[in-house]
Amino acid sequence: MEAQKNTLLQVEHLKKYFQVGKSATLKAVDDVSFEIRRGETLGLVGESGCGKTTCGRTCIGLYSKTEGLVRFDGEDVHALSGKSRERFKRRAQMVFQDPYSSLDPRMTVAEIIGEGIDIHGLAESKNDRRDMIYRALEQVGLNQEHASRFVHEFSGGQRQRIGIARALAIQPEFIVLDEPISALDVSIQAQVVNLLIGLQQKMGLTYLFVAHDLSMVKHISDRVMVLYLGAMAEMTTSAELYAHPMHPYTKALLSAIPIPDPRVERRRAQAKIRLGGEVPSPINPPPGCKFQGRCPYATEACRRQSPPMRELRPGHFVACFHCPDA
Amino acid sequence: MDTPHTNAPILQVEDLRVSFHTYAGEVKAVRGVSLELHEGEALAIVGESGCGKSVTAKAIMGLIHGKNTEIKPGSRILYHGENILEYNARQMRHYKGGECAIVFQDALASLNPTMRVGRQIMENLMIHKGMDRAEAAREAVRMLGLVGIPDPEKRVREYPHQFSGGMRQRVMIAIAFACAPRMLICDEPTTALDVTIQEQILELIRDLQRIHHTAVILITHDLGVVANMAQRVMVMYSGVVVECGSCEDIFYRPRHPYTWALIRSVPRLDLENKQALSNIPGAPPDLLNPPAGCPFCTRCDYCMDICREQMPAVTHFGKGHEAACWLHHPMAPHVDMPDLEAEQ
């Protein structure tokens, strides 16, 4: 009971398929279950095309689901309508990857941020509305003068701050961050990540952080979920994931990420696990484990059925037949 | 490869200055870059977008021309002692592709979409090696196999759009290596790729480099890739070189405030979580009106009056490690340089 109260978002056996032709089905998200607790950051990592963005968008109701259940604070996100749907949208927001295409070039910053405030009728007066916009700008490290400018006058890092301010303006509890930093330079990435961590601590926000950069995900997240071709491979706390990766894909992924330290890199060079091949197409995938085609341990069992998620250590879930029970 | 090289460098760039003339004015993209490259060596150029690293690479490759671009007089790019800026068309054709090759970031945009990949590899071989059609075709198949493309006999007949991102990058590398160039420039070769594919591509470049003794200039903003590949590193900021040295020097004993902030601004997979990332406030300066002094002065924690007024001189720390920062002037106040090695 206590655990349920703490859970903000609960996802059960979520599937999202896209029909891409007469007999072709793209299985973008295929049976994914997880939960996010209040005030927590869950990192969602995987390579391009593994369904992490689709998963984030489906969780927040931007896509309809194919199967499964997404509960936000106990309510089924995809069954909401009218008032309750409006209310959900105020509580859950999204920040998009590309700060260039996700902000309307013909609107001023004040209009962009004010739009959400107007839709949800949060401001009591014009002055109130203006103050809310200014406050949102200040929260992300911009100031009042920026309000009357247009988006093209800002750099990439500043634009991403505007995107965050837009999400913050309506005081949400939950934000899906879809690769919020991958379009930015390293030094600017650090600025935005520090901002996000600071805002979370101040306002008690809950994040779903979608990214492909595992070092950044590990830095910002409490728990991390690794996706491969739409299916979950492994989920655990971020420290545990690095210290004891169990799924062969996670191991290969971790060993492929170069560490900015030449001596460590030289030491790791011998022990690197090199994956052959590439991520196969998610269109009409064969049955069984999604990773079997590239997995060095794949056996007949992996080709027959997909491995279930098992809790092999406390709080450490792995979907693999070949991981020894702890 | 920490020992200084005794043989002559194959490439010397001296005081390279490149400007673009735009409606808004003159954009000084590269403002006096000098570098040396030796045989078999991998030099990484790191920096944020707009710092001039790609323009430097393109200038070395002889790809900077056009009526709005200008390589300033006094700039010299010496390849085996010859200034390539003075090459005539025939010499230039031999140099491009034959002696020096480049791999771009976006393989889809760099390959010809209307030409089978086999032909694109053959083109190089026929021009530079004087091979006939059949010979070049055989060699193209061999090259594709060498860069790890399965079923090369069949795939030479396909078009770039039939390849995946990682495979396209392999085709680019096959084209670049077809004539066994002495020098290879990789301009963000793996930025568009996933990490497991990146690892494959880096391994491939390393292998080919070992076999052919090719000198590599690697342009990237990923410090992990630098640590993995480079022997020497050059850090650029706003069109100038702020620090240059061996990979160890740059990662463990950085001497420029920008370098050490950069190294501390990336989280590390193998270290504890939640250390606050070093924050470099602000953004790089506008290259239309670069500041008179050190370009990093507006974002630097140690900025002094002189930094705003005059470009800092280069200080040498031995073994080719040098940094351009006023903090190393004898009259500057003492600042404790972080020892990043001890921190671990």
Side-chain angles (χ1 to χ4, degrees):
Chain A
M1 199 60 214
E2 192 57 35
Q4 272 202 341
K5 246 199 217 155
N6 255 327
T7 304
L8 186 64
L9 188 84
Q10 192 171 14
V11 176
E12 285 169 16
H13 302 289
L14 182 68
K15 291 181 186 172
K16 175 67 196 173
Y17 297 166
F18 294 98
Q19 210 60 42
V20 287
K22 270 205 188 104
S23 59
T25 310
L26 191 153
K27 299 189 173 180
V29 178
D30 203 5
D31 200 358
V32 166
S33 307
F34 61 92
E35 54 176 50
I36 307 178
R37 299 180 203 113
R38 275 175 220 281
E40 182 189 48
T41 302
L42 178 73
L44 201 53
V45 283
E47 297 180 273
S48 48
C50 74
K52 49 192 193 304
T53 295
T54 309
C55 186
R57 289 186 167 206
T58 314
C59 286
I60 208 166
L62 282 181
Y63 287 149
S64 62
K65 67 188 177 187
T66 304
E67 240 177 80
L69 189 61
V70 179
R71 275 211 201 93
F72 182 80
D73 212 1
E75 286 178 299
D76 183 350
V77 168
H78 295 97
L80 296 173
S81 61
K83 279 259 160 58
S84 56
R85 187 167 161 74
E86 287 296 302
R87 208 166 50 235
F88 163 69
K89 283 194 197 160
R90 198 185 74 69
R91 297 174 65 190
Q93 278 292 308
M94 184 148 183
V95 175
F96 296 92
Q97 169 173 12
D98 183 0
Y100 294 84
S101 64
S102 61
L103 301 172
D104 191 330
R106 296 199 288 184
M107 286 164 91
T108 64
V109 170
E111 283 165 351
I112 289 172
I113 298 173
E115 202 175 23
I117 299 174
D118 298 340
I119 289 171
H120 297 287
L122 299 177
E124 279 157 15
S125 64
K126 266 200 167 151
N127 280 347
D128 194 21
R129 178 176 184 274
R130 196 194 55 214
D131 289 344
M132 290 174 93
I133 293 170
Y134 288 169
R135 208 179 318 130
L137 280 173
E138 269 154 33
Q139 278 167 342
V140 298
L142 299 172
N143 58 47
Q144 304 185 358
E145 285 119 61
H146 293 124
S148 55
R149 295 205 204 156
F150 288 92
V151 182
H152 72 263
E153 298 172 62
F154 294 91
S155 67
Q158 285 175 317
R159 286 180 208 216
Q160 202 52 288
R161 285 167 192 267
I162 296 168
I164 296 169
R166 170 172 67 180
L168 285 178
I170 57 169
Q171 292 145 28
E173 295 159 50
F174 174 59
I175 302 182
V176 175
L177 302 158
D178 185 8
E179 306 244 18
I181 51 166
S182 53
L184 308 175
D185 266 319
V186 214
S187 75
I188 312 293
Q189 280 189 355
Q191 288 176 14
V192 174
V193 163
N194 285 347
L195 170 71
L196 288 170
I197 294 176
L199 287 171
Q200 179 173 43
Q201 282 162 356
K202 231 180 316 176
M203 306 164 73
L205 295 167
T206 307
Y207 290 151
L208 177 63
F209 188 87
V210 178
H212 65 270
D213 178 351
L214 197 44
S215 358
M216 205 47 108
V217 170
K218 174 176 175 272
H219 178 77
I220 194 173
S221 307
D222 300 297
R223 286 186 306 137
V224 179
M225 181 165 97
V226 183
L227 282 181
Y228 186 81
L229 213 60
M232 299 168 73
E234 188 161 359
M235 179 165 70
T236 181
T237 61
S238 54
E240 167 91 1
L241 187 78
Y242 182 75
H244 306 285
M246 288 194 189
H247 197 283
Y249 175 62
T250 317
K251 285 185 183 169
L253 193 63
L254 285 170
S255 104
I257 297 168
I259 289 177
D261 185 327
R263 272 175 217 161
V264 173
E265 267 305 296
R266 225 166 292 147
R267 251 201 325 274
R268 275 160 46 106
Q270 313 304 325
K272 284 210 171 180
I273 307 165
R274 296 214 164 76
L275 278 187
E278 302 189 25
V279 183
S281 158
I283 297 172
N284 296 338
C289 176
K290 308 264 183 189
F291 188 53
Q292 41 129 326
R294 296 171 84 192
C295 181
Y297 309 105
T299 56
E300 201 42 51
C302 306
R303 282 180 265 278
R304 262 201 311 274
Q305 68 180 107
S306 47
M309 273 306 240
R310 293 182 296 159
E311 187 169 6
L312 295 184
R313 290 156 71 106
H316 191 155
F317 298 86
V318 187
C320 180
F321 289 122
H322 298 286
C323 294
D325 293 342
Chain B
M1 282 219 198
D2 279 338
T3 46
H5 298 266
T6 43
N7 50 345
I10 72 167
L11 179 80
Q12 272 172 297
V13 175
E14 286 169 11
D15 198 30
L16 178 68
R17 291 168 192 272
V18 184
S19 285
F20 298 102
H21 297 282
T22 67
Y23 284 116
E26 181 185 350
V27 176
K28 301 183 184 87
V30 177
R31 302 186 286 145
V33 165
S34 300
L35 65 87
E36 275 187 6
L37 185 70
H38 295 263
E39 192 167 273
E41 178 184 59
L43 168 74
I45 304 182
V46 283
E48 297 176 72
S49 34
C51 73
K53 51 192 195 301
S54 281
V55 176
T56 305
K58 282 185 182 152
I60 293 171
M61 188 66 204
L63 295 176
I64 297 282
H65 41 68
K67 60 176 193 287
N68 295 328
T69 47
E70 184 190 0
I71 296 181
K72 297 271 172 184
S75 308
R76 303 209 306 159
I77 300 173
L78 303 175
Y79 176 72
H80 282 301
E82 291 171 46
N83 190 355
I84 69 150
L85 298 173
E86 289 160 5
Y87 272 174
N88 60 29
R90 197 183 53 77
Q91 286 171 309
M92 202 64 197
R93 200 162 53 231
H94 174 72
Y95 172 74
K96 279 189 212 168
E99 297 287 328
C100 178
I102 189 162
V103 174
F104 291 104
Q105 170 178 356
D106 187 351
L108 186 60
S110 316
L111 293 170
N112 185 342
T114 65
M115 212 168 156
R116 297 178 204 274
V117 298
R119 285 262 325 265
Q120 300 190 45
I121 303 174
M122 284 161 62
E123 207 180 24
N124 232 355
L125 292 164
M126 285 155 67
I127 293 171
H128 295 296
K129 286 271 171 82
M131 289 185 183
D132 61 35
R133 212 159 239 293
E135 226 178 327
R138 269 197 305 279
E139 183 64 13
V141 172
R142 197 184 71 85
M143 284 311 298
L144 271 194
L146 194 69
V147 296
I149 290 181
D151 215 356
E153 293 84 2
K154 207 179 108 213
R155 307 234 42 183
V156 282
R157 305 188 49 77
E158 292 183 357
Y159 290 93
H161 74 267
Q162 293 168 293
F163 287 73
S164 69
M167 287 294 165
R168 270 181 224 135
Q169 203 55 277
R170 285 171 198 268
V171 172
M172 285 285 291
I173 292 172
I175 294 173
F177 268 103
C179 298
R182 309 290 301 278
M183 196 160 80
L184 178 72
I185 299 171
C186 299
D187 188 357
E188 308 252 9
T190 57
T191 306
L193 305 176
D194 284 318
V195 277
T196 55
I197 310 298
Q198 164 173 293
E199 174 60 30
Q200 296 170 4
I201 299 290
L202 294 181
E203 180 70 16
L204 178 66
I205 295 174
R206 244 194 319 261
D207 280 349
L208 292 173
Q209 187 194 1
R210 212 168 24 234
I211 298 167
H212 298 294
H213 266 284
T214 314
V216 172
I217 296 180
L218 176 73
I219 294 169
T220 178
H221 62 262
D222 185 335
L223 291 171
V225 172
V226 175
N228 181 298
M229 294 283 289
Q231 279 103 43
R232 279 198 310 126
V233 183
M234 193 170 105
V235 184
M236 283 187 72
Y237 187 81
S238 177
V240 298
V241 179
V242 293
E243 187 163 1
C244 182
S246 72
C247 204
E248 262 85 3
D249 284 336
I250 297 294
F251 278 96
Y252 302 128
R253 295 172 291 277
R255 285 291 172 262
H256 194 286
Y258 176 63
T259 313
W260 77 61
L262 197 64
I263 286 170
R264 282 181 177 173
S265 68
V266 287
R268 286 196 32 187
L269 204 53
D270 58 336
L271 296 185
E272 245 338 276
N273 256 12
K274 304 286 179 197
Q275 80 273 28
L277 295 177
S278 151
N279 210 343
I280 311 178
D286 186 0
L287 290 170
L288 273 171
N289 302 301
C294 171
F296 190 56
C297 67
T298 53
R299 305 171 81 187
C300 183
D301 290 341
Y302 308 95
C303 180
M304 301 173 285
D305 288 339
I306 181 99
C307 301
R308 291 194 198 90
E309 287 154 20
Q310 266 187 54
M311 199 68 118
V314 174
T315 313
H316 299 267
F317 302 94
K319 282 189 184 170
H321 185 195
E322 47 192 55
C325 180
W326 281 117
L327 285 178
H328 303 295
H329 192 271
M331 279 167 68
H334 177 75
V335 170
D336 280 321
M337 301 290 156
D339 191 345
L340 297 175
E341 203 168 8
E343 273 177 25
Q344 287 146 30

